[in-house]
Amino acid sequence: MATRRQLEIVAGPPAGRHTGRVTPAIKLLEKAKVAHRVIPYHHDPAADSYGLEAAEALGVSPDQVFKTLVAAIDGQRHVVAVVPVSTRLDLKAIA
């Protein structure tokens, strides 16, 4: 029997301020009744990477925090990639 897991979303508000806004992804999860927990953290506008900053704020390895990227292929097709924040998306590999 599969175990049910809760999705955790790390949300750092833009420019280091808590806006209380809900992202489109969170709205979709709520609409689909997907169990999730939003984990806010203070964002430093001088940080080079949201993902690496989030991993540090949570005290976890950057290999455990993921970013979702959308890329256009040949200007017609779109692909979605989910990669650890410790890596970069190789656009040639997905072409």
Side-chain angles (χ1 to χ4, degrees), residues 23-45:
T23 68
I26 294 171
K27 287 180 184 178
L28 184 62
L29 290 171
E30 290 173 347
K31 183 177 179 180
K33 298 184 184 341
V34 173
H36 65 282
R37 177 173 65 117
V38 177
I39 305 169
Y41 71 95
H42 177 76
H43 169 62
D44 177 359

Side-chain angles (χ1 to χ4, degrees), residues 12-93:
R17 60 194 191 298
H18 181 64
T19 61
R21 293 186 311 195
V22 176
T23 68
I26 294 171
K27 287 180 184 178
L28 184 62
L29 290 171
E30 290 173 347
K31 183 177 179 180
K33 298 184 184 341
V34 173
H36 65 282
R37 177 173 65 117
V38 177
I39 305 169
Y41 71 95
H42 177 76
H43 169 62
D44 177 359
D48 291 331
S49 165
Y50 280 96
L52 295 176
E53 179 187 33
E56 183 178 336
L58 292 171
V60 299
S61 166
D63 294 330
Q64 294 177 302
V65 178
F66 294 85
K67 55 188 170 186
T68 306
L69 305 169
V70 178
I73 305 295
D74 301 329
Q76 296 178 6
R77 298 177 297 146
H78 290 85
V79 295
V80 177
V82 179
V83 296
V85 298
S86 59
T87 64
R88 296 182 62 108
L89 179 62
D90 182 352
L91 295 174
K92 289 180 183 179

